[in-house]
Amino acid sequence: MYHLLKISQIILIALSSNLLAQSFLTDDDVILRAPDAFIISGDANSNYVKIKWLVADGYYLYKDSLKISYGSKELEYKILNSSESTYSDEFFGETQILKEELLISFNIANSFNKNNILIYFQGCSESGFCYPMQ
């Protein structure tokens, strides 16, 4: 009987600890994986490429982190649609961030192999988690 009581007390303590830990976690504490926080899609023809990001609520991209390269050449792009604002970042100071949706376009030569175009970006959650360069 003593062992049974002791086991039930351990189970009760474990359940209480689990419930207590869950009460501290909110939806804001869950950090999305980068592909879920920054959903990226694209469209291309022989002259241009369009890249679209859907940025999850509570997340943002750093405008300055956006880089498009083909081999060793950095390609210039044009922002077609964005929700841009200034943000005071503790590491980067005053910086431009992009939220919600971002659409960019860049021209390519016919000789480009679209599979060799690299797109770099970095973002953070508003709760303070920053992703490495993607």
Side-chain angles (χ1 to χ4, degrees):
M1 181 81 155
Y2 177 73
H3 292 304
L4 184 58
L5 180 59
K6 200 170 192 179
I7 291 172
S8 65
Q9 287 175 333
I10 291 171
I11 291 172
L12 183 59
I13 291 170
L15 287 174
S16 297
S17 298
N18 189 29
L19 290 173
L20 184 59
Q22 286 178 355
S23 70
F24 286 114
L25 295 177
T26 66
D27 289 340
D28 294 336
D29 295 325
V30 176
I31 301 298
L32 297 175
R33 296 176 327 114
D36 298 326
F38 313 108
I39 300 169
I40 189 171
S41 61
D43 181 37
N45 68 24
S46 59
N47 298 320
Y48 71 88
V49 174
K50 286 185 180 178
I51 305 295
K52 179 179 180 179
W53 284 265
L54 293 177
V55 181
D57 287 341
Y59 293 81
Y60 58 88
L61 292 172
Y62 288 111
K63 182 179 179 184
D64 289 343
S65 74
L66 266 156
K67 305 273 187 270
I68 314 292
S69 68
Y70 184 79
S72 62
K73 182 180 177 183
E74 189 170 317
L75 303 178
E76 291 189 30
Y77 61 88
K78 183 184 336 178
I79 295 178
L80 303 176
N81 183 34
S82 74
S83 179
E84 184 175 336
S85 62
T86 302
Y87 180 73
S88 182
D89 185 280
E90 70 177 287
F91 299 108
F92 301 117
E94 294 289 312
T95 187
Q96 296 303 111
I97 61 168
L98 308 162
K99 292 184 170 187
E100 297 169 5
E101 181 179 300
L102 169 65
L103 179 63
I104 66 169
S105 174
F106 56 94
N107 295 329
I108 57 172
N110 286 335
S111 61
F112 277 20
N113 178 346
K114 292 178 189 83
N115 294 322
N116 292 333
I117 296 172
L118 297 176
I119 302 165
Y120 299 94
F121 63 94
Q122 184 178 21
C124 297
S125 73
E126 290 177 354
S127 65
F129 178 81
C130 289
Y131 296 86
M133 185 66 80
Q134 302 294 304

